[in-house]
Amino acid sequence: MTHVSPAPAPKQPAADSGKTLYGGTGNRRITVRDIAAAKQRGEKWPMLTAYDAMTASVFDESGIPVMLVGDSMGNCHLGYESTVPVTMDEITLLSAAVVRGTKRALIVGDLPFGSYQEGPVQALRSATRLVKEAGVGAVKLEGGERSADQIELLVQSGIPVMAHIGLTPQSVNAYGGYPVQGRGEEAAQQLLRDAKAVQNAGAFAVVLELVPAELAAEVTRSLHIPTVGIGAGPDCDAQVLVWTDMAGMTSGRVPRFVKQYAQLREALGGAARAFAEDVVGGAYPAAEHSFH
């Protein structure tokens, strides 16, 4: 009988957080220097949102190198209709929980609507709170050229900044919805100017949201900082999803760019119904669940 050797296991990333972002291990946090090094060596990396310690610990153990405590918590965690009502108190509380639940990932805290638009001094006050009270390693804010002064002061003050251009959800009322950004020559040139502005101001990365794939690829080629895509095609340096979308917790229609990797809403609902039926039928708690 001929012996057939098993196929070799897929090659895993080196277990060194300084050499790889996804899948690496180490006894220190990922830093913005690691993010810059990944851009230089052409490594793509994943980012997920997180809003609590337990979920964040799962993602951390799974090797996710960067987590965003996003103001998307307004829609998927706090029950708001948009991100606009989210407060600094809410972001700070949940950012601290995510930091406590993780050991390796770089935690980025969002600056919510109204916490930085007044100018650089307000932005510094808000960002300082997230760094001091929550322990985040970086902050994120929306806007390109219009937010360059805020980014510059934060970076000069020692706070790493992830910028966010394209569709900026905090401006939902101005947009009248969530349209794709950067279509047409004038809009594309403005997006490129925004990208260069945040890079020149010192941002260590920039999120591109709802941007045509070809334009996102052009922006990625033109920058020396990494781009993080969400609905921006495959050529960005990194990709981010809201975790409840990614895991199938979101009910109803999800955005076109979302790929669901599980159906947790269905699984959780099934578990809840099974528990309820056991209680109603007297099957739970059984003898093995009781003390004597």
Side-chain angles (χ1 to χ4, degrees), residues 13 16-24 28 30-47 63 65-66 104 106 162 204-205 220 223-228 235-239:
D16 180 354
S17 62
K19 299 296 184 183
T20 185
L21 292 182
Y22 168 65
R28 67 169 177 83
I30 297 291
T31 71
V32 295
R33 292 182 64 184
D34 298 313
I35 302 300
K39 172 80 172 184
Q40 292 177 350
R41 63 178 177 262
E43 178 189 350
K44 290 180 177 286
W45 46 274
M47 181 167 82
V66 184
R104 179 176 179 268
L106 171 64
M162 177 179 284
F204 74 90
T220 301
L223 298 183
H224 61 74
I225 62 173
T227 58
V228 183
D235 294 314
C236 294
D237 298 297
Q239 299 289 335

Side-chain angles (χ1 to χ4, degrees), residues 234-254:
D235 294 314
C236 294
D237 298 297
Q239 299 289 335
V240 61
L241 283 176
V242 171
W243 89 258
T244 50
D245 290 343
M246 178 276 297
M249 279 289 286
T250 306
S251 62
R253 180 179 175 274
V254 296

